[in-house]
Amino acid sequence: MSNRRVFILGGANTDFLGKGNPNFIWKNHPDFGKRENPTLEEQLKAAVDLCFAETGIDPTLIQRGYVGNFVGELFSKQGHLGAALAGSHPALAMKPMTRTEGACASGGLAMLCGMDAIKAGSDVVLVAGVEVQSNESARVGADYLARAAHYARQRSIDDFTFPALFGRRTKAYRAAFGVTEEDIGRAAVKAYGNANKNPLAHMRARKMDLDTAAASSEKNPTFLQNAEYAPFIKMSDCSQVSDGGSALILVSEEGLRKLGKSMYDCIAIVGTGHATASLYEDSDPTVLSTTAHAVGEAYKAAGIAAKDVRIAEVHDCFTVTELMMYEAMGLAAPGHGGDLLREGATDIGGKVPVNTGGGLVGFGHPVGATGVKQAVEIWRQMKGKCGAYQVASTPGIGVSVNMGGDDRTTVVGVYRNVG
Ligand code: CAA
């Protein structure tokens, strides 16, 4: 394995749009009928433009690019997104650009491909992620997203296949460890509370209190038809159906020299993990075993342990997943993820702040963008760019965990703040 070092020079996220975001054009918006929400190509271009503006680099120096996307063909009738990335800025024409797909870990896979390119000799690489989902109803979208499960076997669990699969996990997890609805509801309260401080978060204008998050009500209904799992997933337990894009620049040490930048402008990626489990089988619903495997690999590569982590971005596709992620990362013992939320340990002011911008529940989940957004967020926190949700002391070591499907593909990154 090449020992070339890989750095994140910087990146940016678009406004994550969808129902609940004040900028989203929807029935009651004053611009309804006058203008439309950005398309897939507009979201991708916006993310790339924002990334170039943030880093101030000369785009002609980009040598290759990767874009994570799950189902552009279904939501936007558009595939071939490597060519879409090449078309998102005139300076990218004719450069090698490739799309990566691994369900909700598509963005994480784009990161890994970008790193491999640097390790193999490239010096400046663009990594992007994008998804647009709001042009279909949540019910139709759920059928598209169900392609991240084993469709032939799991689609029939419910029209909302993924909420039902995580209803299954919630039921099993609560029964195994005696975890309450309130324990899990705290993940939603934290997610919305952090999103309220983040000007790009899908749910920045929506409030969530523990009374609402901890029990179903007219305001926060359950919605599955599957009678066994329906009681275990409410609206507030779900990540959002968001549109959005994220992009960042990876560089080698030589790339830094070419761009006239210093290592201290960057964060280093010091370890990664990538694990994939069979699509055709289910595993123990109370544990994220594929994720735990990828975390172990990444910690080993970085030479760190759970106690060293100072900030994290985890894949809270549903509230219960956040608790299970803490456990897969070794931050909490099995069944004790909820303790961290109760103690405030993962709050912005806590010992290990997690999902400071709101995570998938609060910031939103434009599927293909999420894995890239997580890395952008770690970089932003380490460089003091998070404004109202900035953590007080600069984190030295950060971890991102991006999960595809029902814990089938996981990509983990470990980052070290160089400056
Ligand atoms: N009372 C009872 N039921 C209600 C209700 C109410 N007040 N309001 C809505 N519902 C029910 C209805 O059945 C409704 O469907 P129909 O309108 O088609 O009948 C359904 O809930 C959804 O309602 P909306 O469309 O109005 O809801 P929404 O647009 O606000 O969406 C959500 C809410 C369904 C929870 C949606 O946010 C969602 O689907 N979130 C999850 C997205 C998801 O699964 N992402 C993937 C995560 S998994 C992952 O990350 C890994 C991977 O690889 C995929």
Side-chain angles (χ1 to χ4, degrees), residues 184-250:
I184 296 174
R186 285 193 190 89
V189 175
K190 175 171 80 66
Y192 279 76
N194 291 356
N196 294 159
K197 300 188 172 81
N198 176 359
L200 297 180
H202 184 148
M203 285 300 181
R204 58 182 176 265
R206 291 273 174 94
K207 302 286 176 206
M208 183 61 62
D209 57 42
L210 191 54
D211 282 349
T212 308
S216 61
S217 62
E218 209 173 297
K219 205 168 131 193
N220 187 18
T222 58
F223 60 96
L224 299 179
Q225 279 157 342
N226 182 311
E228 186 182 354
Y229 303 135
F232 295 95
I233 288 286
K234 307 177 291 297
M235 293 278 184
S236 64
D237 292 310
C238 298
S239 55
Q240 306 310 321
V241 174
S242 315
D243 304 343
S246 300
L248 57 76
I249 307 291
L250 295 180

Short mmCIF file of all heavy atoms in Angstrom, two decimals, residues 184-250:
data_model
loop_
_atom_site.label_atom_id
_atom_site.label_comp_id
_atom_site.label_asym_id
_atom_site.label_seq_id
_atom_site.Cartn_x
_atom_site.Cartn_y
_atom_site.Cartn_z
N ILE A 184 -34.64 6.70 23.11
CA ILE A 184 -34.40 6.85 21.67
C ILE A 184 -34.84 8.24 21.19
O ILE A 184 -34.18 8.87 20.36
CB ILE A 184 -35.11 5.72 20.89
CG1 ILE A 184 -34.49 4.37 21.30
CG2 ILE A 184 -35.01 5.92 19.39
CD1 ILE A 184 -35.17 3.15 20.73
N GLY A 185 -35.92 8.74 21.79
CA GLY A 185 -36.44 10.07 21.42
C GLY A 185 -35.41 11.17 21.62
O GLY A 185 -35.42 12.18 20.90
N ARG A 186 -34.52 10.99 22.59
CA ARG A 186 -33.49 12.03 22.82
C ARG A 186 -32.60 12.24 21.59
O ARG A 186 -32.05 13.32 21.41
CB ARG A 186 -32.61 11.66 24.02
CG ARG A 186 -33.31 11.88 25.34
CD ARG A 186 -32.34 11.83 26.53
NE ARG A 186 -33.13 11.80 27.75
CZ ARG A 186 -33.58 10.70 28.33
NH1 ARG A 186 -33.26 9.52 27.85
NH2 ARG A 186 -34.35 10.77 29.40
N ALA A 187 -32.47 11.20 20.78
CA ALA A 187 -31.66 11.37 19.55
C ALA A 187 -32.34 12.38 18.62
O ALA A 187 -31.67 13.20 17.98
CB ALA A 187 -31.46 10.03 18.84
N ALA A 188 -33.67 12.34 18.55
CA ALA A 188 -34.39 13.30 17.69
C ALA A 188 -34.31 14.70 18.28
O ALA A 188 -34.11 15.67 17.54
CB ALA A 188 -35.85 12.87 17.55
N VAL A 189 -34.42 14.81 19.58
CA VAL A 189 -34.35 16.14 20.21
C VAL A 189 -32.98 16.76 19.93
O VAL A 189 -32.87 17.95 19.57
CB VAL A 189 -34.61 16.03 21.73
CG1 VAL A 189 -34.43 17.39 22.41
CG2 VAL A 189 -36.01 15.49 21.99
N LYS A 190 -31.92 15.97 20.07
CA LYS A 190 -30.57 16.49 19.78
C LYS A 190 -30.45 16.86 18.29
O LYS A 190 -29.94 17.94 17.97
CB LYS A 190 -29.49 15.46 20.15
CG LYS A 190 -28.08 15.90 19.76
CD LYS A 190 -27.00 15.00 20.32
CE LYS A 190 -26.77 13.73 19.56
NZ LYS A 190 -26.23 13.90 18.19
N ALA A 191 -30.93 16.01 17.42
CA ALA A 191 -30.80 16.25 15.97
C ALA A 191 -31.50 17.56 15.58
O ALA A 191 -30.91 18.40 14.88
CB ALA A 191 -31.38 15.09 15.18
N TYR A 192 -32.74 17.73 16.01
CA TYR A 192 -33.48 18.95 15.65
C TYR A 192 -32.86 20.17 16.34
O TYR A 192 -32.75 21.25 15.76
CB TYR A 192 -34.96 18.83 16.01
CG TYR A 192 -35.78 18.05 15.00
CD1 TYR A 192 -35.71 16.67 14.93
CD2 TYR A 192 -36.61 18.70 14.10
CE1 TYR A 192 -36.44 15.94 14.00
CE2 TYR A 192 -37.36 17.98 13.16
CZ TYR A 192 -37.27 16.61 13.13
OH TYR A 192 -38.01 15.90 12.20
N GLY A 193 -32.42 20.01 17.59
CA GLY A 193 -31.81 21.13 18.33
C GLY A 193 -30.56 21.62 17.62
O GLY A 193 -30.34 22.82 17.46
N ASN A 194 -29.72 20.68 17.16
CA ASN A 194 -28.50 21.06 16.42
C ASN A 194 -28.88 21.68 15.07
O ASN A 194 -28.29 22.68 14.65
CB ASN A 194 -27.59 19.85 16.21
CG ASN A 194 -26.96 19.37 17.52
OD1 ASN A 194 -27.15 19.98 18.57
ND2 ASN A 194 -26.25 18.25 17.46
N ALA A 195 -29.86 21.09 14.40
CA ALA A 195 -30.29 21.62 13.09
C ALA A 195 -30.79 23.07 13.24
O ALA A 195 -30.58 23.89 12.34
CB ALA A 195 -31.38 20.74 12.50
N ASN A 196 -31.43 23.37 14.35
CA ASN A 196 -31.94 24.73 14.58
C ASN A 196 -30.82 25.77 14.58
O ASN A 196 -31.06 26.96 14.40
CB ASN A 196 -32.73 24.82 15.89
CG ASN A 196 -34.01 24.01 15.91
OD1 ASN A 196 -34.53 23.68 16.96
ND2 ASN A 196 -34.52 23.65 14.74
N LYS A 197 -29.57 25.31 14.79
CA LYS A 197 -28.42 26.24 14.79
C LYS A 197 -27.70 26.26 13.45
O LYS A 197 -26.70 26.95 13.29
CB LYS A 197 -27.41 25.79 15.87
CG LYS A 197 -27.96 25.76 17.28
CD LYS A 197 -26.81 25.49 18.25
CE LYS A 197 -27.24 25.63 19.69
NZ LYS A 197 -27.93 24.44 20.20
N ASN A 198 -28.16 25.45 12.49
CA ASN A 198 -27.42 25.25 11.23
C ASN A 198 -28.21 25.85 10.06
O ASN A 198 -29.26 25.33 9.68
CB ASN A 198 -27.22 23.74 11.04
CG ASN A 198 -26.56 23.39 9.73
OD1 ASN A 198 -26.25 24.26 8.91
ND2 ASN A 198 -26.36 22.10 9.49
N PRO A 199 -27.71 26.91 9.47
CA PRO A 199 -28.47 27.60 8.41
C PRO A 199 -28.69 26.78 7.14
O PRO A 199 -29.47 27.18 6.29
CB PRO A 199 -27.63 28.85 8.11
CG PRO A 199 -26.27 28.57 8.64
CD PRO A 199 -26.43 27.59 9.77
N LEU A 200 -28.02 25.63 6.99
CA LEU A 200 -28.22 24.79 5.80
C LEU A 200 -29.06 23.55 6.10
O LEU A 200 -29.30 22.72 5.21
CB LEU A 200 -26.87 24.36 5.21
CG LEU A 200 -25.96 25.47 4.70
CD1 LEU A 200 -24.66 24.88 4.14
CD2 LEU A 200 -26.65 26.32 3.64
N ALA A 201 -29.49 23.41 7.36
CA ALA A 201 -30.18 22.16 7.73
C ALA A 201 -31.62 22.13 7.22
O ALA A 201 -32.35 23.12 7.34
CB ALA A 201 -30.15 21.99 9.25
N HIS A 202 -32.01 21.00 6.70
CA HIS A 202 -33.38 20.77 6.23
C HIS A 202 -34.39 21.15 7.33
O HIS A 202 -35.36 21.85 7.08
CB HIS A 202 -33.47 19.28 5.86
CG HIS A 202 -34.76 18.84 5.27
ND1 HIS A 202 -34.82 17.83 4.35
CD2 HIS A 202 -36.05 19.22 5.47
CE1 HIS A 202 -36.08 17.61 4.00
NE2 HIS A 202 -36.85 18.46 4.67
N MET A 203 -34.14 20.73 8.55
CA MET A 203 -35.10 20.95 9.64
C MET A 203 -34.74 22.12 10.55
O MET A 203 -35.10 22.14 11.72
CB MET A 203 -35.24 19.65 10.46
CG MET A 203 -36.04 18.60 9.75
SD MET A 203 -37.72 19.21 9.40
CE MET A 203 -38.46 17.80 8.59
N ARG A 204 -34.04 23.13 9.99
CA ARG A 204 -33.60 24.24 10.84
C ARG A 204 -34.75 25.02 11.47
O ARG A 204 -34.58 25.65 12.52
CB ARG A 204 -32.71 25.20 10.04
CG ARG A 204 -33.36 25.80 8.80
CD ARG A 204 -32.35 26.67 8.09
NE ARG A 204 -32.79 27.26 6.84
CZ ARG A 204 -32.58 26.73 5.64
NH1 ARG A 204 -31.95 25.58 5.55
NH2 ARG A 204 -33.00 27.34 4.55
N ALA A 205 -35.92 24.96 10.85
CA ALA A 205 -37.03 25.77 11.36
C ALA A 205 -38.04 24.96 12.18
O ALA A 205 -39.06 25.48 12.61
CB ALA A 205 -37.74 26.45 10.19
N ARG A 206 -37.76 23.68 12.36
CA ARG A 206 -38.71 22.82 13.09
C ARG A 206 -38.17 22.51 14.48
O ARG A 206 -37.02 22.12 14.63
CB ARG A 206 -38.92 21.49 12.35
CG ARG A 206 -39.67 21.62 11.05
CD ARG A 206 -41.17 21.54 11.29
NE ARG A 206 -41.93 21.81 10.07
CZ ARG A 206 -42.36 20.87 9.22
NH1 ARG A 206 -42.12 19.59 9.48
NH2 ARG A 206 -43.04 21.20 8.15
N LYS A 207 -39.03 22.67 15.49
CA LYS A 207 -38.62 22.39 16.87
C LYS A 207 -39.02 20.96 17.25
O LYS A 207 -39.99 20.43 16.71
CB LYS A 207 -39.33 23.36 17.83
CG LYS A 207 -39.05 24.83 17.53
CD LYS A 207 -37.65 25.20 17.96
CE LYS A 207 -37.33 26.63 17.58
NZ LYS A 207 -35.92 26.89 17.40
N MET A 208 -38.28 20.40 18.16
CA MET A 208 -38.63 19.05 18.66
C MET A 208 -38.34 19.00 20.15
O MET A 208 -37.22 19.30 20.58
CB MET A 208 -37.78 18.00 17.93
CG MET A 208 -38.08 16.54 18.29
SD MET A 208 -39.77 16.03 17.92
CE MET A 208 -39.83 16.23 16.14
N ASP A 209 -39.38 18.68 20.96
CA ASP A 209 -39.13 18.51 22.40
C ASP A 209 -39.29 17.04 22.76
O ASP A 209 -39.80 16.24 21.97
CB ASP A 209 -40.04 19.42 23.24
CG ASP A 209 -41.51 19.17 22.94
OD1 ASP A 209 -41.89 17.99 22.82
OD2 ASP A 209 -42.27 20.15 22.81
N LEU A 210 -38.86 16.71 23.97
CA LEU A 210 -38.82 15.29 24.35
C LEU A 210 -40.23 14.71 24.47
O LEU A 210 -40.44 13.55 24.12
CB LEU A 210 -38.02 15.11 25.64
CG LEU A 210 -37.69 13.66 26.01
CD1 LEU A 210 -36.99 12.92 24.87
CD2 LEU A 210 -36.84 13.60 27.28
N ASP A 211 -41.18 15.50 24.93
CA ASP A 211 -42.56 14.99 25.03
C ASP A 211 -43.05 14.53 23.66
O ASP A 211 -43.67 13.47 23.52
CB ASP A 211 -43.51 16.08 25.55
CG ASP A 211 -43.37 16.25 27.06
OD1 ASP A 211 -42.72 15.40 27.69
OD2 ASP A 211 -43.89 17.26 27.59
N THR A 212 -42.76 15.33 22.63
CA THR A 212 -43.21 14.99 21.27
C THR A 212 -42.44 13.78 20.75
O THR A 212 -43.02 12.86 20.16
CB THR A 212 -42.99 16.19 20.32
OG1 THR A 212 -43.60 17.33 20.91
CG2 THR A 212 -43.57 15.93 18.95
N ALA A 213 -41.11 13.77 20.98
CA ALA A 213 -40.27 12.72 20.39
C ALA A 213 -40.44 11.37 21.07
O ALA A 213 -40.13 10.34 20.48
CB ALA A 213 -38.80 13.15 20.46
N ALA A 214 -40.93 11.38 22.32
CA ALA A 214 -40.94 10.14 23.10
C ALA A 214 -42.25 9.37 23.06
O ALA A 214 -42.37 8.33 23.71
CB ALA A 214 -40.56 10.46 24.55
N ALA A 215 -43.24 9.86 22.31
CA ALA A 215 -44.50 9.12 22.22
C ALA A 215 -45.22 9.53 20.95
O ALA A 215 -45.12 10.69 20.52
CB ALA A 215 -45.38 9.44 23.43
N SER A 216 -45.97 8.60 20.38
CA SER A 216 -46.70 8.98 19.17
C SER A 216 -47.89 9.86 19.54
O SER A 216 -48.44 9.74 20.63
CB SER A 216 -47.15 7.74 18.40
OG SER A 216 -48.01 6.98 19.20
N SER A 217 -48.24 10.75 18.64
CA SER A 217 -49.33 11.69 18.89
C SER A 217 -49.83 12.15 17.52
O SER A 217 -49.25 11.81 16.49
CB SER A 217 -48.81 12.90 19.67
OG SER A 217 -47.82 13.56 18.90
N GLU A 218 -50.86 12.95 17.53
CA GLU A 218 -51.37 13.48 16.27
C GLU A 218 -50.28 14.29 15.55
O GLU A 218 -50.16 14.26 14.34
CB GLU A 218 -52.56 14.40 16.58
CG GLU A 218 -53.58 14.46 15.47
CD GLU A 218 -54.81 15.24 15.90
OE1 GLU A 218 -55.50 14.79 16.85
OE2 GLU A 218 -55.03 16.30 15.30
N LYS A 219 -49.48 14.99 16.38
CA LYS A 219 -48.40 15.82 15.83
C LYS A 219 -47.23 14.96 15.32
O LYS A 219 -46.48 15.38 14.45
CB LYS A 219 -47.91 16.69 17.00
CG LYS A 219 -47.27 17.99 16.63
CD LYS A 219 -47.14 18.84 17.90
CE LYS A 219 -45.75 19.39 18.04
NZ LYS A 219 -45.45 19.96 19.35
N ASN A 220 -47.08 13.81 15.90
CA ASN A 220 -45.93 12.95 15.58
C ASN A 220 -46.41 11.51 15.41
O ASN A 220 -46.13 10.65 16.26
CB ASN A 220 -44.89 13.07 16.70
CG ASN A 220 -43.60 12.35 16.35
OD1 ASN A 220 -43.34 12.04 15.18
ND2 ASN A 220 -42.80 12.06 17.36
N PRO A 221 -47.13 11.24 14.30
CA PRO A 221 -47.78 9.93 14.18
C PRO A 221 -46.83 8.80 13.78
O PRO A 221 -45.77 9.04 13.21
CB PRO A 221 -48.81 10.17 13.07
CG PRO A 221 -48.23 11.27 12.23
CD PRO A 221 -47.42 12.14 13.17
N THR A 222 -47.27 7.59 14.07
CA THR A 222 -46.67 6.42 13.45
C THR A 222 -47.34 6.30 12.08
O THR A 222 -48.43 6.82 11.88
CB THR A 222 -46.94 5.14 14.26
OG1 THR A 222 -48.35 4.97 14.39
CG2 THR A 222 -46.32 5.23 15.65
N PHE A 223 -46.68 5.64 11.11
CA PHE A 223 -47.25 5.68 9.76
C PHE A 223 -47.07 4.38 8.97
O PHE A 223 -47.51 4.30 7.83
CB PHE A 223 -46.65 6.85 8.97
CG PHE A 223 -45.15 6.76 8.83
CD1 PHE A 223 -44.56 6.21 7.70
CD2 PHE A 223 -44.33 7.20 9.85
CE1 PHE A 223 -43.19 6.11 7.58
CE2 PHE A 223 -42.94 7.10 9.75
CZ PHE A 223 -42.37 6.55 8.61
N LEU A 224 -46.46 3.36 9.58
CA LEU A 224 -46.29 2.10 8.85
C LEU A 224 -47.60 1.32 8.85
O LEU A 224 -48.39 1.40 9.80
CB LEU A 224 -45.20 1.24 9.51
CG LEU A 224 -43.79 1.81 9.57
CD1 LEU A 224 -42.85 0.83 10.28
CD2 LEU A 224 -43.27 2.13 8.17
N GLN A 225 -47.79 0.51 7.79
CA GLN A 225 -48.95 -0.39 7.78
C GLN A 225 -48.61 -1.71 8.45
O GLN A 225 -49.48 -2.41 8.92
CB GLN A 225 -49.39 -0.64 6.33
CG GLN A 225 -50.25 0.51 5.81
CD GLN A 225 -50.26 0.60 4.30
OE1 GLN A 225 -49.39 0.04 3.61
NE2 GLN A 225 -51.22 1.33 3.77
N ASN A 226 -47.34 -2.03 8.50
CA ASN A 226 -46.90 -3.27 9.14
C ASN A 226 -47.19 -3.18 10.65
O ASN A 226 -46.57 -2.39 11.37
CB ASN A 226 -45.38 -3.43 8.90
CG ASN A 226 -44.84 -4.71 9.49
OD1 ASN A 226 -45.10 -5.03 10.65
ND2 ASN A 226 -44.10 -5.45 8.70
N ALA A 227 -48.18 -3.96 11.09
CA ALA A 227 -48.68 -3.79 12.46
C ALA A 227 -47.61 -4.12 13.50
O ALA A 227 -47.58 -3.53 14.59
CB ALA A 227 -49.90 -4.69 12.66
N GLU A 228 -46.72 -5.07 13.17
CA GLU A 228 -45.69 -5.46 14.14
C GLU A 228 -44.69 -4.33 14.39
O GLU A 228 -44.26 -4.09 15.52
CB GLU A 228 -44.96 -6.72 13.63
CG GLU A 228 -43.98 -7.26 14.65
CD GLU A 228 -43.20 -8.47 14.15
OE1 GLU A 228 -43.48 -8.98 13.04
OE2 GLU A 228 -42.28 -8.90 14.89
N TYR A 229 -44.31 -3.63 13.33
CA TYR A 229 -43.25 -2.61 13.48
C TYR A 229 -43.79 -1.18 13.59
O TYR A 229 -43.05 -0.28 14.02
CB TYR A 229 -42.27 -2.71 12.30
CG TYR A 229 -41.65 -4.09 12.18
CD1 TYR A 229 -41.54 -4.74 10.96
CD2 TYR A 229 -41.18 -4.75 13.33
CE1 TYR A 229 -40.99 -6.01 10.87
CE2 TYR A 229 -40.64 -6.03 13.24
CZ TYR A 229 -40.55 -6.66 12.02
OH TYR A 229 -40.01 -7.91 11.93
N ALA A 230 -45.06 -0.98 13.24
CA ALA A 230 -45.63 0.39 13.25
C ALA A 230 -45.39 1.13 14.57
O ALA A 230 -45.01 2.31 14.55
CB ALA A 230 -47.11 0.34 12.92
N PRO A 231 -45.58 0.49 15.73
CA PRO A 231 -45.44 1.26 16.98
C PRO A 231 -44.01 1.74 17.25
O PRO A 231 -43.79 2.55 18.14
CB PRO A 231 -45.85 0.26 18.06
CG PRO A 231 -46.52 -0.87 17.36
CD PRO A 231 -45.99 -0.90 15.97
N PHE A 232 -43.06 1.24 16.47
CA PHE A 232 -41.65 1.51 16.80
C PHE A 232 -41.01 2.62 15.96
O PHE A 232 -39.85 2.95 16.18
CB PHE A 232 -40.84 0.21 16.70
CG PHE A 232 -41.29 -0.80 17.73
CD1 PHE A 232 -42.21 -1.78 17.41
CD2 PHE A 232 -40.84 -0.70 19.04
CE1 PHE A 232 -42.66 -2.67 18.37
CE2 PHE A 232 -41.27 -1.59 20.01
CZ PHE A 232 -42.20 -2.57 19.68
N ILE A 233 -41.76 3.16 15.01
CA ILE A 233 -41.21 4.26 14.18
C ILE A 233 -42.27 5.35 14.03
O ILE A 233 -43.37 5.11 13.52
CB ILE A 233 -40.80 3.73 12.77
CG1 ILE A 233 -39.53 2.87 12.85
CG2 ILE A 233 -40.59 4.88 11.79
CD1 ILE A 233 -38.22 3.60 13.06
N LYS A 234 -41.93 6.53 14.50
CA LYS A 234 -42.78 7.71 14.33
C LYS A 234 -42.10 8.61 13.29
O LYS A 234 -40.92 8.43 12.97
CB LYS A 234 -42.92 8.46 15.66
CG LYS A 234 -43.37 7.60 16.81
CD LYS A 234 -43.43 8.39 18.11
CE LYS A 234 -42.07 8.82 18.66
NZ LYS A 234 -41.17 7.72 19.04
N MET A 235 -42.82 9.64 12.87
CA MET A 235 -42.22 10.59 11.91
C MET A 235 -40.88 11.13 12.44
O MET A 235 -39.92 11.26 11.69
CB MET A 235 -43.17 11.78 11.69
CG MET A 235 -44.45 11.41 11.00
SD MET A 235 -44.21 11.31 9.21
CE MET A 235 -45.88 11.00 8.68
N SER A 236 -40.83 11.47 13.74
CA SER A 236 -39.63 12.11 14.30
C SER A 236 -38.43 11.16 14.36
O SER A 236 -37.31 11.60 14.61
CB SER A 236 -39.92 12.63 15.71
OG SER A 236 -40.21 11.54 16.57
N ASP A 237 -38.68 9.87 14.17
CA ASP A 237 -37.56 8.91 14.20
C ASP A 237 -36.86 8.79 12.86
O ASP A 237 -35.83 8.10 12.76
CB ASP A 237 -38.09 7.51 14.59
CG ASP A 237 -38.59 7.47 16.02
OD1 ASP A 237 -37.85 7.93 16.91
OD2 ASP A 237 -39.73 7.01 16.24
N CYS A 238 -37.39 9.45 11.84
CA CYS A 238 -36.88 9.23 10.47
C CYS A 238 -35.93 10.33 10.01
O CYS A 238 -36.14 11.50 10.31
CB CYS A 238 -38.05 9.19 9.49
SG CYS A 238 -39.19 7.84 9.81
N SER A 239 -34.96 9.92 9.21
CA SER A 239 -34.15 10.89 8.47
C SER A 239 -35.06 11.52 7.41
O SER A 239 -36.13 11.00 7.10
CB SER A 239 -32.97 10.20 7.81
OG SER A 239 -33.40 9.14 6.99
N GLN A 240 -34.59 12.64 6.86
CA GLN A 240 -35.45 13.39 5.94
C GLN A 240 -35.27 12.95 4.50
O GLN A 240 -34.22 12.46 4.11
CB GLN A 240 -35.15 14.89 6.07
CG GLN A 240 -35.25 15.41 7.49
CD GLN A 240 -36.55 15.00 8.17
OE1 GLN A 240 -37.62 14.99 7.55
NE2 GLN A 240 -36.46 14.63 9.44
N VAL A 241 -36.31 13.17 3.72
CA VAL A 241 -36.23 12.99 2.27
C VAL A 241 -35.73 14.33 1.73
O VAL A 241 -36.49 15.26 1.55
CB VAL A 241 -37.62 12.64 1.71
CG1 VAL A 241 -37.57 12.60 0.19
CG2 VAL A 241 -38.11 11.32 2.28
N SER A 242 -34.41 14.43 1.55
CA SER A 242 -33.80 15.72 1.22
C SER A 242 -33.19 15.72 -0.17
O SER A 242 -32.77 14.68 -0.68
CB SER A 242 -32.67 16.05 2.21
OG SER A 242 -33.04 15.80 3.54
N ASP A 243 -33.09 16.92 -0.73
CA ASP A 243 -32.30 17.17 -1.94
C ASP A 243 -31.05 17.91 -1.49
O ASP A 243 -31.15 18.81 -0.65
CB ASP A 243 -33.03 18.12 -2.90
CG ASP A 243 -34.41 17.63 -3.30
OD1 ASP A 243 -34.69 16.43 -3.11
OD2 ASP A 243 -35.19 18.46 -3.81
N GLY A 244 -29.91 17.58 -2.07
CA GLY A 244 -28.73 18.35 -1.70
C GLY A 244 -27.47 17.79 -2.32
O GLY A 244 -27.46 16.68 -2.88
N GLY A 245 -26.42 18.55 -2.22
CA GLY A 245 -25.12 18.14 -2.73
C GLY A 245 -24.02 18.58 -1.80
O GLY A 245 -24.17 19.53 -1.02
N SER A 246 -22.92 17.87 -1.87
CA SER A 246 -21.72 18.18 -1.08
C SER A 246 -20.52 17.93 -1.97
O SER A 246 -20.56 17.03 -2.83
CB SER A 246 -21.62 17.27 0.15
OG SER A 246 -22.74 17.43 0.98
N ALA A 247 -19.46 18.68 -1.76
CA ALA A 247 -18.24 18.45 -2.54
C ALA A 247 -17.03 18.89 -1.73
O ALA A 247 -17.13 19.80 -0.90
CB ALA A 247 -18.30 19.24 -3.85
N LEU A 248 -15.91 18.20 -1.95
CA LEU A 248 -14.67 18.56 -1.26
C LEU A 248 -13.47 18.25 -2.16
O LEU A 248 -13.59 17.54 -3.16
CB LEU A 248 -14.57 17.86 0.10
CG LEU A 248 -14.64 16.33 0.17
CD1 LEU A 248 -13.34 15.68 -0.27
CD2 LEU A 248 -14.96 15.90 1.59
N ILE A 249 -12.34 18.78 -1.75
CA ILE A 249 -11.10 18.57 -2.52
C ILE A 249 -10.13 17.74 -1.68
O ILE A 249 -9.83 18.09 -0.53
CB ILE A 249 -10.42 19.93 -2.83
CG1 ILE A 249 -11.37 20.91 -3.51
CG2 ILE A 249 -9.15 19.71 -3.68
CD1 ILE A 249 -11.78 20.56 -4.92
N LEU A 250 -9.66 16.64 -2.29
CA LEU A 250 -8.61 15.84 -1.66
C LEU A 250 -7.28 16.20 -2.32
O LEU A 250 -7.22 16.37 -3.54
CB LEU A 250 -8.86 14.34 -1.87
CG LEU A 250 -10.11 13.74 -1.21
CD1 LEU A 250 -10.19 12.25 -1.53
CD2 LEU A 250 -10.11 13.94 0.30
#
